Amino acid sequence: MPSTNLTFSSAEAHRNWLEGQSALPRGFRVGRTRLEFMPVEVAKPAKMNLTLIVLDEPTPSFAALFTRNAFPGAPVLIGRQRLKEPTLGAVVVNNKVSNVCAPGGVEASERLCSAVAGKLGLSASQVLPCSTGVIGWRLPVDAMVDAVPQAVSALEAGSVMPAAEGIMTTDLYPKARRAVVGNGSIVGIAKGAGMIEPNLATMLVFLMTDVDVPREALRTTLHSVTQRTFGCISVDSDTSTSDTVALLSSRKVPCPSLPEFEAALERVCADLAEDIVRNGEGVHHVMRVRVHGAPSEEVARGIGKSVVNSPLFQCAVNGNDPNVGRLVAAIGKYVGANHPEVDLSRCTLRMGGRVILEHGAFRLDNEAEKALVAHMKGAELYASVAPPDGLTFRPPVTFPPHERAVEIEVDLGTGPAASTVLGADRSHEYISENADYRS
Amino acid sequence: MPSTNLTFSSAEAHRNWLEGQSALPRGFRVGRTRLEFMPVEVAKPAKMNLTLIVLDEPTPSFAALFTRNAFPGAPVLIGRQRLKEPTLGAVVVNNKVSNVCAPGGVEASERLCSAVAGKLGLSASQVLPCSTGVIGWRLPVDAMVDAVPQAVSALEAGSVMPAAEGIMTTDLYPKARRAVVGNGSIVGIAKGAGMIEPNLATMLVFLMTDVDVPREALRTTLHSVTQRTFGCISVDSDTSTSDTVALLSSRKVPCPSLPEFEAALERVCADLAEDIVRNGEGVHHVMRVRVHGAPSEEVARGIGKSVVNSPLFQCAVNGNDPNVGRLVAAIGKYVGANHPEVDLSRCTLRMGGRVILEHGAFRLDNEAEKALVAHMKGAELYASVAPPDGLTFRPPVTFPPHERAVEIEVDLGTGPAASTVLGADRSHEYISENADYRS
């Protein structure tokens, strides 16, 4: 990660590059429409996108992974059932309301599936529902059913962009990544900016391919790729109730080889995972923590997660402050609580490629501090801009200016295992975004 | 918790109440002095307090618990050794530099202990060192040794306040709590505002008593009380490298009964634990999560910690937004990842005493939303004030206006175990405090 190392000078430049990623594989159409509704719980109207992803013909080759949050959304409960069905023909996605623990939530989702199926000549069990947004509100299912015909008439082949945009909530920009496999391709889109520490999958990722991979191979491959990609990121350590990764094959093009397909899928997923972190709510800096020399992959990943999820280290990174003491505290916190048998005396830490701790003691001086500050400033996506009302911070960019990261390396010196974890800093923009998200 | 339910209209009112808590037990003196030094790593001078807690005679009745962070500070390494010594006569505490992973850190701390011991007629092994502050800097041991005579001449019986103030770092106000036991008393002081999710103990708590409790009983009692008090709080989920809780008895007064002593100690520790959270960096709201009906105390505490440590729920509470969806997500995140066997379908959630979720479905409407907002506003310590430079938020109070909390109740309905966890919201003031703490 990343497979690219891009910089963008403007939202237009980023948009142009995205268009180049967005060619739909053969056999797919996408479309969306917009509707307004009145949430029961608050007294003002809200807007929602209804997005469809449709296969020309239903396919037996589909795979999906769902959140392990023990309060899953109604669409997740339904999605787990859909995995047993012989074929899948369409996905219907809404933003704004996540349909979690809402009274009658499963019935509402099934009604929407039936409406979509009716317009597409499918059965409801061939439609996968996905919802993202506020937890606690009810799905405005009447308004959604009414909007289905418009979404169906908007269906088009060609570009995935209408779907990539339709599924956004607090995302600053749409996310799409593409890889070529033989004569076919894999295109993925992702939604996710907050409540991101996926446990098996992440908030709404849809992968479409025309490469013909049988159902079981598709499922095994998606599982292992997801572990190494979406399983290694965190924006705020909060595992969503709705995480879903789905992979659909239209089976139009023969698969050159499964390893080649898996490598391409991993590239798309790894890039989307990094896109999700880079577009995380209020993110100023992406952090990449490479842990190696670990006794197990679990320990390596645990240390990486502990570093990227440490609120104090996140704030220091936000301030371009190389507060390496908090880095050490975050590693020691995880190891002390979970693997006290791991000996940290052989641990070497690097930041921006520079050794900062060796044999249990810091190697710091004025010159090192300056170099670390420069590394952190180089990885900054933007600086905070004082808000007009003095309190409500908004990011001053709507595109990713570059793909650089604060690079942290942890060599435990005690074993063969490794893991790379991506995370982000913590900013005023995150607080402002989330102190009153639903208003 | 809390044993009190106080409100304070001003810093003076709070101060007057604190003075009433601060009577030192018989057999103790405290003193402090201030010194300036130049950290090697940054090019401007820093200030430090050197604080002494001294017993009239060395005591065999002392107990201490230390952090389980796997990168402990040098004073923690030394403190673990001191537990094996026959007697302890003094504690020397510095703020500003924590002496963690610093080259020569243990030697520096031991040198300071020797200097203190020399002035007090003790041996170095009778002095417990404690350090708190920036991780990564070296202890300015020459300047500290030079300052020891001043600290010794400042020693006074009577009030614990010089020590309560001396150990502060980012604390807004000193913290002291007192309980009477028979003819004696227990007085505790605490320091801690960030890097607070103690794993066994919390950042610098000193408990002094004149009640005569034998060493082993003192240690057992401190361990069990700490589990139920400092073990159940979190400001930011970051376990410090320096957490220390120490309890010293001057043995001047007979102990009426061990249960009576334990109850008084628990009251002092529980109140100090809540003080630490209420004075946490940038805290606008204290959250109290009472979990019961759980299959085990571990599950109950884990759920409570997951709620108070959820960044998204913390931000919602900060904004007085009753985003109960994030509360549900935080519970489901912990249970799904750690105890998937726990059935959440019988879970009942209350907020501010009102049922918000029952039998797996929300019970929300406009009226409920308004009541929840009112409950949250009532528990707010202060609202953010737009800062002069547009970016650097500072709390507008230097005292706790009240002892109210956002009250959350989780009844799992599946077992007999319970736990109460205290935590806090996440604010602009926390980000500002920690984005450039060391400057």
Side-chain angles (χ1 to χ4, degrees), chain A residues 328 344-350 354-364 411, chain B residues 71 101-103:
Chain A
V328 157
L344 290 179
S345 68
R346 274 178 288 171
C347 176
T348 304
L349 294 183
R350 288 184 183 80
R354 170 184 285 266
V355 174
I356 54 174
L357 179 136
E358 211 173 22
H359 306 308
F362 282 113
R363 282 177 45 181
L364 294 170
D411 180 359
Chain B
F71 273 123
C101 293

Side-chain angles (χ1 to χ4, degrees), chain B residues 89-157:
Chain B
V91 183
V92 55
V93 194
N94 69 273
N95 63 359
K96 199 66 193 176
V97 179
S98 70
N99 193 13
V100 176
C101 293
V106 169
E107 295 74 11
S109 271
E110 285 285 13
R111 230 189 102 198
L112 181 66
C113 290
S114 293
V116 170
K119 290 293 290 183
L120 295 172
L122 301 168
S123 72
S125 64
Q126 291 175 304
V127 179
L128 175 71
C130 294
S131 298
T132 172
V134 175
I135 303 172
W137 288 1
R138 261 166 265 196
L139 221 51
V141 68
D142 291 337
M144 292 168 79
V145 165
D146 289 349
V148 165
Q150 285 158 265
V152 169
S153 34
L155 285 172
E156 271 187 39

Side-chain angles (χ1 to χ4, degrees), chain B residues 128-439:
Chain B
L128 175 71
C130 294
S131 298
T132 172
V134 175
I135 303 172
W137 288 1
R138 261 166 265 196
L139 221 51
V141 68
D142 291 337
M144 292 168 79
V145 165
D146 289 349
V148 165
Q150 285 158 265
V152 169
S153 34
L155 285 172
E156 271 187 39
S159 170
V160 79
M161 287 303 288
E165 292 167 342
I167 63 176
M168 289 166 60
T169 55
T170 59
D171 310 64
L172 288 175
Y173 45 82
K175 286 165 278 296
R177 292 278 180 168
R178 180 168 184 268
V180 169
V181 189
N183 295 318
S185 66
I186 305 173
V187 168
I189 59 174
K191 176 268 151 188
M195 205 172 272
I196 301 285
E197 180 170 336
N199 189 344
L200 250 194
T202 191
M203 189 72 201
L204 303 200
V205 173
F206 302 106
L207 300 152
M208 290 148 262
T209 184
D210 45 15
V211 177
D212 185 11
V213 178
R215 179 174 175 134
E216 284 316 311
L218 204 70
R219 292 184 179 187
T220 311
T221 305
L222 182 63
H223 184 266
S224 67
V225 166
T226 296
Q227 295 275 56
R228 298 194 295 274
T229 56
F230 303 113
C232 290
I233 66 174
S234 174
V235 171
D236 51 17
S237 78
D238 274 338
T239 305
S240 158
T241 51
S242 308
D243 289 341
T244 299
V245 175
L247 168 59
L248 315 175
S249 164
S250 64
R251 308 175 69 208
K252 301 282 185 192
V253 178
C255 183
S257 81
L258 197 57
E260 197 174 322
F261 179 81
E262 178 163 350
L265 184 66
E266 179 155 354
R267 198 156 77 243
V268 169
C269 289
D271 286 348
L272 281 178
E274 182 161 343
D275 286 344
I276 289 171
V277 175
R278 194 166 298 275
N279 186 198
E281 287 170 349
V283 170
H284 291 210
H285 298 79
V286 173
M287 288 188 242
R288 187 183 348 261
V289 186
R290 299 173 201 268
V291 185
H292 54 98
S296 69
E297 204 183 314
E298 184 207 340
V299 169
R301 188 175 349 208
I303 287 175
K305 286 278 184 85
S306 186
V307 169
V308 301
N309 286 331
S310 158
L312 287 169
F313 189 60
Q314 291 172 332
C315 288
V317 170
N318 184 253
N320 293 309
D321 177 11
N323 195 321
V324 294
R326 294 180 182 166
L327 177 58
V328 158
I331 297 168
K333 166 173 80 167
Y334 172 79
V335 172
N338 300 287
H339 299 279
E341 74 287 358
V342 173
D343 172 16
L344 289 180
S345 68
R346 274 178 289 169
C347 177
T348 303
L349 294 184
R350 288 183 182 81
M351 198 163 162
R354 168 183 287 267
V355 173
I356 54 174
L357 181 135
E358 211 172 19
H359 306 307
F362 282 112
R363 281 177 46 181
L364 294 171
D365 55 27
N366 252 322
E367 193 263 327
E369 287 263 331
K370 279 181 198 152
L372 294 175
V373 169
H375 174 67
M376 299 172 89
K377 286 191 173 165
E380 194 172 39
L381 290 163
Y382 62 85
S384 287
V385 173
D389 71 352
L391 296 172
T392 314
F393 288 81
R394 296 271 174 261
V397 293
T398 57
F399 65 99
H402 59 73
E403 291 189 328
R404 295 189 289 275
V406 176
E407 304 286 349
I408 294 159
E409 194 185 329
V410 183
D411 180 359
L412 293 179
T414 59
S419 181
T420 296
V421 172
L422 290 174
D425 62 349
R426 180 69 72 246
S427 68
H428 288 301
E429 289 75 11
Y430 182 90
I431 304 288
S432 289
E433 176 88 49
N434 287 303
D436 209 7
Y437 164 58
R438 301 183 309 160
S439 64

Side-chain angles (χ1 to χ4, degrees), chain A residues 132 167-171 175 189-193 203-205 276:
Chain A
T132 172
I167 62 175
M168 290 166 59
T169 56
T170 59
D171 310 64
K175 285 163 278 296
I189 60 175
K191 175 272 151 186
M203 190 68 205
L204 302 202
V205 173
I276 288 171

